[in-house]
């Protein structure tokens, strides 16, 4: 597809989904398009023409190696070093981080917009704004206005308990909701790509615990 050709560009702007669909049907080679957009497309139940034509790629926060950049990206990664099975592949940094430094890195998160070019004094403000809009505007098609405080409380409860294996009722009580509402919120947070359910290990007893892994933004915002 040539967007520098007026005829093709006009057709694309008139209906981008159909234009990409036709182009992929004519030429299915991978890597020709990178499509981005809002998570609302999954929540609003519109017709989806991408099945069999697009591959969804999950994006995660930046690693410390990516943040540092430069020479660190030229060498082998941590996984590559582990695969070498040699202690010679590892070396201590010139400036060794202490416990406080590790906590700072963990709570900073990995959002590019928050850590690249954002003044440190504004990072918490940026993350607070991100979460507020995520749980109000992006969740709005599913959650009514009166329930936005409830889903925010549930998200806060999940984030604060993500380091352990709390019982279902402990989380529900902390958020002030029941199991049915929690199940709805679980699916919504998963659709928003900010929380992921981790299956519990098979237990010998009937009691099973819930584990939820939340995004780094939640850990940072609720620290």
């Amino acid at each position: 597809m040539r967007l520098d050709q007026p005829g093709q560009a006009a057709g694309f702007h008139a209906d981008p989904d159909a234009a990409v669909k036709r182009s992929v049907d004519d030429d299915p080679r991978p890597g020709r398009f990178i499509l981005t957009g809002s998570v609302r497309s999954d929540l609003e139940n519109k017709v989806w023409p991408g099945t069999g034509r697009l591959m969804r790629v999950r994006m995660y926060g930046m690693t410390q190696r990516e943040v540092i950049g430069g020479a660190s990206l030229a060498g082998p990664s941590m996984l590559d070093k582990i695969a070498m099975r040699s202690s010679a592949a590892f070396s201590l940094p010139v400036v060794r981080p202490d416990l406080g430094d590790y906590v700072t890195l963990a709570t900073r998160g990995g959002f590019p917009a928050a850590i690249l070019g954002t003044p440190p004094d504004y990072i918490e403000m940026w993350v607070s704004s991100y979460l507020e809009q995520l749980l109000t505007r992006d969740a709005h098609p599913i959650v009514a206005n009166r329930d936005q405080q409830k889903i925010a409380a549930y998200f806060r409860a999940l984030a604060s308990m993500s380091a352990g294996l709390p019982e279902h009722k402990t989380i529900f009580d902390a958020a002030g909701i029941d199991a049915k509402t929690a199940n709805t919120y679980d699916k919504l947070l998963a659709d928003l790509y900010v929380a992921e359910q981790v299956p519990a290990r098979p237990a010998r007893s009937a009691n099973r615990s819930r584990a939820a892994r939340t995004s780094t933004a939640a850990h940072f915002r609720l620290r």
Side-chain angles (χ1 to χ4, degrees):
M1 179 176 294
R2 295 287 301 276
L3 296 183
D4 57 344
Q5 299 293 330
Q8 296 186 42
F12 179 85
H13 290 300
D15 190 349
D17 290 342
V20 172
K21 175 179 177 295
R22 289 193 299 269
S23 180
V24 172
D25 288 343
D26 292 339
D27 185 354
R29 288 177 300 158
R32 298 179 59 230
F33 295 96
I34 297 177
L35 306 182
T36 63
S38 172
V39 294
R40 288 192 177 190
S41 61
D42 287 339
L43 303 177
E44 294 176 346
N45 297 320
K46 292 184 177 180
V47 176
W48 175 247
T51 303
R53 299 181 177 90
L54 304 178
M55 292 183 294
R56 177 167 291 178
V57 179
R58 287 183 174 271
M59 301 294 291
Y60 295 94
M62 296 180 68
T63 65
Q64 180 64 11
R65 183 168 182 253
E66 292 172 324
V67 173
I68 295 174
S72 66
L73 293 177
S77 67
M78 174 66 73
L79 294 179
D80 292 332
K81 292 179 179 180
I82 294 175
M84 295 176 186
R85 298 186 177 183
S86 172
S87 59
F90 298 89
S91 61
L92 292 173
V94 176
V95 179
R96 302 181 188 180
D98 57 20
L99 179 59
D101 294 327
Y102 281 117
V103 171
T104 299
L105 292 175
T107 57
R108 180 192 60 191
F111 281 93
I115 60 180
L116 298 180
T118 301
D121 294 342
Y122 287 90
I123 291 179
E124 185 166 356
M125 183 183 300
W126 184 94
V127 176
S128 297
S129 177
Y130 173 85
L131 284 176
E132 179 185 2
Q133 294 177 59
L134 176 77
L135 299 176
T136 55
R137 298 183 64 85
D138 287 341
H140 183 70
I142 304 298
V143 180
N145 290 334
R146 65 181 183 276
D147 293 329
Q148 290 175 357
Q149 293 299 322
K150 291 183 179 180
I151 191 173
Y154 184 59
F155 185 67
R156 186 178 296 108
L158 284 176
S160 64
M161 301 182 191
S162 61
L165 295 174
E167 295 292 335
H168 290 83
K169 190 175 185 306
T170 302
I171 304 176
F172 301 161
D173 290 347
I177 60 175
D178 56 25
K180 182 178 180 181
T181 303
N183 289 334
T184 300
Y185 290 171
D186 283 339
K187 183 180 184 306
L188 176 58
L189 293 174
D191 290 341
L192 292 173
Y193 299 102
V194 292
E196 180 179 351
Q197 293 292 326
V198 179
R201 294 183 302 171
R204 295 181 181 179
S205 64
N207 295 327
R208 301 190 66 178
S209 298
R210 164 178 300 198
R213 186 177 68 202
T214 59
S215 69
T216 52
H219 288 292
F220 181 89
R221 175 66 182 86
L222 303 169
R223 63 188 172 93

